[in-house]
Amino acid sequence: MGKPKVVLGVSGGIAAYKACELLRRLTESGHDVRVVPTAASLNFVGEATWAALSGNPASTEVWETVHEVPHVRIGQGADLVVVAPATADMLAKAAHGLADDLLTNTLLTARCPVVFAPAMHTEMWEHPATQENVATLRRRGALVIEPAVGRLTGKDTGKGRLPDPEEIFEVCRQVLRRGVAAPDLAGRHVVISAGGTREPLDPVRFLGNRSSGKQGYALARTAVARGARVTLIAANTALADPAGVDVVRVGTAVQLREAVLKAAPDADVVVMAAAVADFRPAEYAGGKIKKKDGEDPAPVALVRNPDVLAEISADRAREGQVVVGFAAETDDVLDNGRAKLRRKGCDLLVVNEVGEARTFGSEENEAIILSSDGSEIPVPYGPKEALAEAIWDQVTQRYMSRRA
Ligand code: CTP
């Protein structure tokens, strides 16, 4: 099998320079990349850079390399087309089927998955014209990644930044791996909690846990690649924001509960992948707790934290909402998992066996997905992304069976 063929479309925005890094990641990971820049984008990054980094000619107009590759072939032969950055103008052209240069021609001839990573000023992104164009493209099966929030050109900040090239690359990798054009979570809003809460004892100490947040982030990345709008409620994670994800940062279980309850009414799916502390110190010392010579420390009294999963399962914020929980067990994994599924009242419970050297912080995971309808699906040891995909498969199945 040859290398997967990727077309990298670049339209004319200042973020075009970030596409160089995306191109590098794509070529280094074994993809055959053909860059198709628009004429306007050559003001930001020149043809020579694209040709040198991709090892392929980079043409802008349909007639330029006709003797080598007729323009229709580029789109027809691609396994993936990714446009990064996609300007408001490019989204408008794509939505209306214009074909006045090589990139727009390529978009019309491509039959593979198409990913747009928009970047523009907040006002342009929020304009009804752009939003309608985005909706049109999504309805037709394209994956339009939500821009990131942050510093834009100049001094202004807001929504409209191109996500990190590394994270756009992750989306491309996921889409290529799935190999299907239709994003099956399109139109769905999923809320995912990830990481581990920290319950402060004093300004410098906390009760915490070993959760890295990697499983929750894998769920967020894969959901974006399947077309979902994703809100990620991240508790104390040190991971890069995934592309296209709205990240809400929290610290404690109480803050996490607040953020989940705020997002849940608008969610089709809520996945509680965070390790939420069951207890918190009954008292918070406003100043650092000091040791006293010759005295043993006072015992730390704990109180119960709210059980967020049980609460949102019992009190569904939206009809038909699917609630997914996780269970980390060290013994009697399956029995404990079945009992927990009933106790928590969620639709799916992902049970995995944990220990100091297992699961936490690792890239791999192994689990059984227990369903309230009685099915028990084992997911073999493998990347956390594979488990994430298996969870989304179960979620989409539930939607399909409800509709039937
Ligand atoms: N969870 C939650 N709120 C809590 C504790 C846990 O929402 N206060 C969620 C977790 O996000 C996870 C699931 O509940 O999805 C399972 O958590 P776990 O700690 O394994 O279950 P517990 O109810 O704490 O059971 P036990 O400690 O007895 O194993």
Side-chain angles (χ1 to χ4, degrees):
M1 224 174 70
K3 291 177 172 183
K5 286 191 166 56
V6 176
V7 173
L8 171 60
V10 182
S11 53
I14 185 74
Y17 76 92
K18 291 191 189 170
C20 300
E21 191 54 39
L22 172 60
L23 171 58
R24 186 182 278 282
R25 293 288 290 132
L26 286 165
T27 51
E28 278 174 0
S29 54
H31 300 89
D32 180 12
V33 189
R34 175 113 199 188
V35 184
V36 183
T38 63
S41 79
L42 296 179
N43 289 315
F44 299 97
V45 179
E47 189 270 337
T49 303
W50 300 127
L53 286 176
S54 68
N56 281 319
S59 355
T60 297
E61 304 301 339
V62 287
W63 61 82
E64 275 176 48
T65 48
V66 166
H67 57 290
E68 289 171 44
V69 189
H71 67 271
V72 289
R73 284 279 170 73
I74 297 176
Q76 283 172 343
D79 296 303
L80 173 76
V81 178
V82 51
V83 185
T87 57
D89 181 59
M90 178 48 59
L91 295 173
K93 281 181 170 163
H96 290 86
L98 266 62
D100 60 356
D101 65 2
L102 187 56
L103 180 51
T104 45
N105 268 269
T106 302
L107 287 168
L108 285 185
T109 50
R111 293 293 174 268
C112 59
V114 178
V115 175
F116 291 94
M120 64 196 74
H121 280 282
T122 311
E123 293 79 1
M124 294 177 86
W125 171 252
E126 287 175 350
H127 195 284
T130 306
Q131 287 301 309
E132 277 174 36
N133 290 332
V134 168
T136 301
L137 291 166
R138 284 182 176 154
R139 201 174 57 246
R140 291 191 197 132
L143 196 72
V144 186
I145 305 173
E146 288 289 310
V149 176
R151 185 90 184 260
L152 303 172
T153 324
K155 285 204 178 108
D156 43 350
T157 58
K159 191 163 188 171
R161 254 173 86 87
L162 190 72
D164 279 350
E166 178 72 28
E167 294 300 323
I168 300 174
F169 168 72
E170 280 299 324
V171 174
C172 295
R173 206 169 57 82
Q174 306 283 350
V175 172
L176 273 166
R177 202 164 51 92
R178 288 195 77 228
V180 285
D184 58 358
L185 287 173
R188 303 278 181 207
H189 177 205
V190 308
V191 173
I192 301 161
S193 71
T197 63
R198 289 180 181 175
E199 310 299 324
L201 280 155
D202 69 15
V204 292
R205 303 181 181 95
F206 57 82
L207 296 179
N209 59 66
R210 290 171 182 274
S211 176
S212 65
K214 284 181 183 166
Q215 184 62 62
Y217 276 60
L219 279 155
R221 286 203 179 92
T222 46
V224 167
R226 291 169 81 144
R229 177 157 73 84
V230 181
T231 303
L232 179 64
I233 297 167
N236 309 295
T237 54
L239 304 167
D241 288 358
V245 168
D246 190 7
V247 182
V248 180
R249 299 205 172 272
V250 294
T252 65
V254 168
Q255 289 167 357
L256 185 138
R257 173 180 175 273
E258 257 173 49
V260 170
L261 294 188
K262 189 168 168 220
D266 185 44
D268 298 291
V269 189
V270 181
V271 185
M272 286 293 298
V276 185
D278 289 320
F279 312 104
R280 66 177 183 274
E283 270 173 48
Y284 173 73
K288 187 179 167 200
I289 302 167
K290 305 288 280 182
K291 58 184 171 300
K292 294 195 185 98
D293 279 347
E295 273 184 38
D296 282 335
V300 175
L302 300 174
V303 291
R304 284 288 288 266
N305 267 329
D307 187 326
V308 188
L309 177 61
E311 189 176 344
I312 56 167
S313 298
D315 191 8
R316 303 287 165 124
R318 189 168 172 168
E319 207 195 326
Q321 186 176 69
V322 178
V323 178
V324 185
F326 271 72
E329 303 290 346
T330 52
D331 311 287
D332 299 328
V333 177
L334 209 48
D335 282 345
N336 280 333
R338 288 178 188 135
K340 197 171 282 181
L341 175 69
R342 282 193 296 275
R343 203 165 63 239
K344 300 265 189 179
C346 50
D347 300 297
L348 299 171
L349 189 77
V350 185
V351 187
N352 51 35
E353 195 176 341
V354 292
E356 276 190 37
R358 285 183 80 115
T359 302
F360 291 120
S362 97
E363 303 297 333
E364 262 92 36
N365 212 343
E366 172 183 17
I368 302 170
I369 305 174
L370 306 182
S371 170
S372 58
D373 65 17
S375 72
E376 302 189 347
I377 294 160
V379 184
Y381 192 72
K384 288 185 171 175
E385 280 167 6
L387 176 57
E389 295 283 13
I391 295 167
W392 296 130
D393 288 346
Q394 291 307 308
V395 167
T396 49
Q397 251 187 38
R398 284 188 90 91
Y399 271 119
M400 279 182 313
S401 61
R402 276 180 197 174
R403 220 178 287 141

